[in-house]
Amino acid sequence: MTRDSGARIERVAFAGTPEFAARALHAIVAAGYAVPLVLTQPDRPAGRGMKPTASPVKRIAQEAGVPVWQPVTLKTPQAWGALVAEPPPDVLVVAAYGLILPRAVLEWPRYGAVNLHASLLPRWRGAAPIQRAIEAGDAVTGITVMQMDEGLDTGPMIARYELAIAPDETGGSLHDKLAVLAAQAILDVLPDLPQRLAAAEPQPDVGVTYAHKIDPAERQLDWQQPAPLLERKIRAFDPYPGTQTRWRGQPLKVWRAVVAPDAAEVSPGTVVAVDPARGVRVACGEGSLWLTELQRAGGKRLPATEFLRGAAVEAGEKLGMGDEEDDDVR
């Protein structure tokens, strides 16, 4: 395919689904680019009534009057044939779309497809880069604008934008910061994208890590693990999917915790102390944690001070004991 490195980008197709992607689409539309179509996942049941609900990207597209395509899959020629028969846009911008794009779709736009990935590649390729960066204790993350190929986040890098991870960062707060950064990043690269593509750098082989999709079983806190690791996990999984343990046989979500400065000479999972001002101190495999925000089944997220008014947690009790079903706190 012949590509003019001096050409302008005018027609920008988009593929994405969640709020992270919606911010980037909104920025592209607001900047005045022509968006001929948007790909997003099919409407999913949501809310108490479990009614089919449009994705955040679909809502932005509809507000802008942009045609929306919602294929269930793009694995077969029957699935993507009609798409690539459309007049090719200059580029396809992809952000957290959720479906694998075949070669025919990647090669359909004049300048191919570029991806907004929420990490500094090659670190944290894959599905959950935001949560895994916090969980691992990374000090910095960012957005990589990448030329897409058929691999898993393996394409050449067009640009990288760094962002420091705050000591109290949660999965939710980091998501929002990166969504803003991603929207800024795509507006930065689009004006001279052809030249940037010509200068794109292959990802190094050193430093590759994978942000595997979060398994529901990971929500359960393993008190045998070190306190600093558990504290990072609690923050990383807030607000989704959350972390939890069991108290008196019932699921108990843990939303905030602070590493205690001193170790506990009891078995992991044991409640060491209960302090209305500080929370519930629990022994871990190494060190201990003060649990400072909790949620019982059917209840609300509460600071420990309020939680302990209605929950008589006692020192010496064990958390995580009993049936380990994958319960959830609603």
Side-chain angles (χ1 to χ4, degrees):
M1 181 183 299
T2 302
R3 293 175 175 171
D4 180 3
S5 61
R8 290 181 56 192
I9 297 297
E10 297 178 347
R11 301 178 72 251
V12 181
F14 190 88
T17 299
E19 182 61 34
F20 175 86
R23 294 199 185 196
L25 175 60
H26 181 269
I28 292 168
V29 171
Y33 289 97
V35 181
L37 64 87
V38 162
L39 291 165
T40 192
Q41 292 215 31
D43 297 358
R44 306 293 188 195
R48 291 189 174 182
M50 296 302 286
K51 296 180 180 179
T53 302
S55 72
V57 162
K58 182 178 179 179
R59 293 196 293 270
I60 294 295
Q62 289 176 326
E63 290 171 5
V66 176
V68 177
W69 291 44
Q70 296 180 273
V72 176
T73 180
L74 287 170
K75 292 181 179 179
T76 67
Q78 291 76 18
W80 50 255
L83 175 64
V84 300
E86 290 287 308
D90 292 327
V91 66
L92 173 64
V93 174
V94 183
Y97 176 36
L99 293 183
I100 296 174
L101 300 180
R103 177 185 291 273
V105 175
L106 296 177
E107 294 181 347
W108 164 56
R110 184 180 180 190
Y111 289 96
V114 299
N115 179 249
L116 298 172
H117 186 74
S119 81
L120 297 176
L121 293 171
R123 186 161 179 79
W124 302 127
R125 295 174 179 171
I130 296 174
Q131 292 92 338
R132 298 306 183 191
I134 297 174
E135 187 179 19
D138 291 1
V140 65
T141 186
I143 294 293
T144 301
V145 185
M146 173 195 69
Q147 185 177 14
M148 294 185 70
D149 59 19
E150 292 182 276
L152 177 62
D153 301 325
T154 55
M157 298 179 295
I158 300 167
R160 297 164 89 235
Y161 302 82
E162 292 190 359
L163 179 70
I165 299 177
D168 60 347
E169 204 81 75
T170 67
S173 66
L174 186 56
H175 166 279
D176 291 348
K177 292 176 183 178
L178 287 171
V180 171
L181 185 58
Q184 295 170 346
I186 194 58
L187 294 188
D188 182 47
V189 304
L190 280 177
D192 58 350
L193 180 63
Q195 298 93 319
R196 287 178 179 263
L197 286 168
E201 298 180 3
Q203 294 185 36
D205 296 328
V206 178
V208 175
T209 58
Y210 288 93
H212 297 289
K213 184 178 180 180
I214 298 172
D215 187 285
E218 293 184 73
R219 295 182 302 175
Q220 296 291 339
L221 294 171
D222 179 1
W223 298 109
Q224 299 286 341
Q225 293 182 328
L229 188 154
L230 290 173
E231 187 273 337
R232 294 196 302 269
K233 181 175 183 177
I234 291 166
R235 287 189 289 111
F237 287 18
D238 177 8
Y240 179 83
T243 58
Q244 63 185 48
T245 185
R246 298 184 71 81
W247 175 57
R248 299 180 182 174
Q250 297 298 314
L252 176 69
K253 273 200 171 180
V254 180
W255 291 109
R256 289 284 190 279
V258 177
V259 177
D262 46 354
E265 301 300 325
V266 294
S267 61
T270 302
V271 175
V272 179
V274 179
D275 184 331
R278 302 181 68 183
V280 179
R281 185 180 167 208
V282 182
C284 306
E286 295 177 16
S288 60
L289 284 180
W290 282 103
L291 310 186
T292 61
E293 186 175 347
L294 300 157
Q295 181 181 1
R296 297 173 71 173
K300 299 179 180 179
R301 290 177 60 156
L302 295 173
T305 300
E306 296 181 32
F307 177 84
L308 290 171
R309 290 175 187 159
V313 183
E314 299 177 359
E317 289 191 271
K318 271 294 198 72
L319 300 185
M321 299 294 288
D323 184 3
E324 293 298 328
E325 288 181 4
D326 185 26
D327 289 318
D328 195 6
V329 177
R330 301 297 181 187

